[in-house]
Amino acid sequence: MRIGIIGTGVAGSLLAEGLHGFDVTAFERVAPGDQAESGTGLNIGPNALKALRLHLPARHAALRAASLPWQRWFIDLADGTRLFDLDLLQVAEEPGVRIRWSELYRLLRAPVAACTRHGHALEALEEDDAGRLVPVFRTKTGLVREGGFDLLVGADGRYSRLRALAAGEAEGTLLGVCIWRLLVADAADCPYDDYGQWFQGNARLLSFRVPGGAVYIAGTFPLPEDGQIPEAMKTAAAQRALFTPAAAAPCDAVAWMLARIEQHLAQIHWARSATVPVLRHALDGRALFLGDAAQAMVPTLGQGATQAVECGVVAARVLRAGGDAAAVAAARDARVEFVRDFSMAASDTLLPPVDVVAGTRSKMGSDFLARLRRLYTEVD
C-alpha cells in the first residue's frame, strides 16, 4: 500500500513515524524551519503521553525531555479565591506536559524528515487509471502531481484542504466564545508555574510556564449574539476591565497577566471557538482524516493536540496490522465522541447564565473526576 500524508503536524508526523518501513511520503506546506519560532504554547494531556509510551516510546522520552511536566490543575477567581485544585496523578497514570508549539513541531518532524517533501501546498485532487488518488500541489516551481496513492491521509488541521476537496468544506459550529492566545517570551518574574485558570464572571484566563522562560496565556469571553468579536474588546483597557474584580483587587497572577496583555497586545491572536462534525474517511476509504482535520473540538480540556497524538499512533497501529480507513474509524470514533462530548460539557462555565463558582466546584465531584480518569487512562 502506498500512503501519502498531507500535513506534518502532530498526527501526520506521528503516523509517518509509526509507519516506518512502509511506502510513505509526507507533504508539508511550509519550508523546513519556517515554523521554528512561530506559535504559542500548549499543554498535552496524560492520555497522549500514555499513547506514546505504549506505541512510540522514543517519542515519549523525547517529548518528556523537551517539556515541563503538567502535574497540577487549579482554578481560581480573579481575586485569588481557590475553587478547584487537582493533582493529575489522582486521575492519570503520569503527568501531562507543557511545551511550545515550535518545539513540539521540531521533535515530531525530525524522525520523518527523510520522507517529507516541503513547500507542497495541496491544490487539487485527481485519480490515475487504477483509481488511486493523485494529489496536485502548488510549489515554488508551479503545479506538480504526486501519486497515485492507495490511501491519502489528511492531517492538515482544522481547515483541511484534503477534507474540503474530498468531502466539501466542513461547516463549523461556534461555541459563542472568543479565545485569544499570547506567548510571553521573557517571563522570569511570573508569579506562578503550573496550569492555572482564573475566572471573572464567565470570562477566563488560562496560563502556565513553558520551557525557555516563557509563559503561555489564553483568554476567553462570551461573544454577543451576532457571534463576532467586537473590535472594542481588542484593547488593553477592555481586557483589563473584563478580568478585574468589581469589589477587590486582582490577585498577583491576574495582575501580572493584565500587565503582559498591555505590553504585548499586538502579538495576541484572536479567534472564535468552534467545532466541526467528525469525518474519518471519504472517497470510499481512499481518504482518511486525523486530528483536527477529522474532529476539531472546543479546547476546554486541552484535547486538540492530545487527540491528534492518539490519532497518529492508533492509526499507525491499525494500518500496520493490515487495517483500512474504516478500521481506523472503528478504533477512534467512539473515543473521539466521548472526548468531544466531555469537552463541551466542561465548557459550561464559559457562557452565561452558568454560575462559575458552583459550576467549577462541582468539577471536584466524583462524576467529573471519573470522566477525567476515563479521559486520561482509557488509551489503547
Side-chain angles (χ1 to χ4, degrees):
M1 176 186 287
R2 188 170 187 228
I3 300 172
I5 301 173
I6 310 299
T8 57
V10 176
S13 293
L14 290 171
L15 176 64
E17 183 177 6
L19 293 176
H20 178 73
F22 280 62
D23 185 358
V24 173
T25 305
F27 301 95
E28 175 54 51
R29 179 178 54 83
V30 302
D34 272 10
Q35 294 176 313
E37 299 300 330
S38 67
T40 53
L42 74 159
N43 59 300
I44 300 177
N47 44 313
L49 275 295
K50 180 175 180 178
L52 292 174
R53 174 164 47 86
L54 292 175
H55 300 286
L56 287 173
R59 209 53 36 218
H60 178 272
L63 182 54
R64 281 271 178 231
S67 63
L68 297 175
W70 173 26
Q71 298 174 305
R72 182 180 173 219
W73 174 10
F74 65 89
I75 305 176
D76 292 351
L77 295 179
D79 64 7
T81 302
R82 183 60 45 91
L83 303 177
F84 177 100
D85 199 345
L86 180 68
D87 182 336
L88 288 194
L89 292 183
Q90 292 178 236
V91 292
E93 297 172 7
E94 61 180 299
V97 296
R98 297 170 277 147
I99 192 169
R100 295 186 190 216
W101 270 107
S102 55
E103 182 64 7
L104 179 64
Y105 282 144
R106 184 195 67 78
L107 72 90
L108 294 184
R109 287 172 173 164
V112 298
C115 72
T116 302
R117 298 183 186 178
H118 289 274
H120 281 59
L122 184 62
E123 183 87 4
L125 203 57
E126 299 175 354
E127 293 185 7
D128 64 14
D129 292 340
R132 297 177 302 178
L133 295 177
V134 178
V136 182
F137 296 98
R138 183 166 296 281
T139 71
K140 63 181 181 180
T141 60
L143 294 180
V144 298
R145 287 166 173 77
E146 302 280 355
F149 291 98
D150 302 293
L151 180 66
L152 205 54
V153 181
D156 48 344
R158 182 184 294 261
Y159 304 104
S160 170
R161 179 62 176 164
L162 180 61
R163 177 168 171 164
L165 291 171
E169 295 283 353
E171 185 173 345
T173 300
L174 295 173
L175 179 61
V177 169
C178 171
I179 180 167
W180 57 256
R181 299 176 174 89
L182 171 67
L183 185 71
V184 180
D186 184 6
D189 59 342
C190 177
Y192 53 88
D193 177 22
D194 215 336
Y195 182 97
Q197 299 175 0
W198 295 262
F199 277 94
Q200 174 58 31
N202 296 105
R204 185 195 71 181
L205 290 166
L206 179 157
S207 189
F208 48 84
R209 287 182 178 270
V210 294
V215 166
Y216 170 65
I217 308 173
T220 67
F221 56 88
L223 291 173
E225 289 186 4
D226 65 5
Q228 301 302 310
I229 305 173
E231 289 299 315
M233 293 301 297
K234 299 180 181 180
T235 67
Q239 292 299 302
R240 182 172 291 276
L242 185 66
F243 292 109
T244 299
C251 65
D252 289 346
V254 171
W256 186 89
M257 285 184 277
L258 291 175
R260 303 292 90 70
I261 292 167
E262 185 170 357
Q263 292 172 359
H264 303 287
L265 187 71
Q267 299 169 29
I268 289 178
H269 172 74
W270 304 84
R272 295 179 295 172
S273 185
T275 64
V276 298
V278 177
L279 180 68
R280 187 63 57 195
H281 55 81
L283 301 178
D284 300 319
R286 293 174 295 166
L288 169 68
F289 308 110
L290 300 177
D292 276 355
Q295 64 217 19
M297 62 184 72
V298 296
T300 305
L301 293 176
Q303 286 293 306
T306 299
Q307 286 303 306
V309 170
E310 287 193 28
C311 272
V313 297
V314 170
R317 172 176 60 81
V318 170
L319 294 174
R320 285 197 309 268
D324 57 8
V328 175
R332 285 296 295 147
D333 287 358
R335 167 75 171 166
V336 167
E337 182 179 3
F338 161 72
V339 175
R340 282 165 58 93
D341 288 348
F342 186 23
S343 296
M344 186 63 73
S347 304
D348 59 344
T349 48
L350 300 183
L351 289 166
V354 172
D355 179 82
V356 166
V357 174
T360 302
R361 286 179 170 159
S362 72
K363 291 179 171 61
M364 287 300 294
S366 58
D367 178 66
F368 185 88
L369 294 182
R371 283 187 288 170
L372 205 57
R373 189 173 296 107
R374 178 182 170 189
L375 173 66
Y376 290 154
T377 63
E378 290 189 3
V379 178
D380 296 330

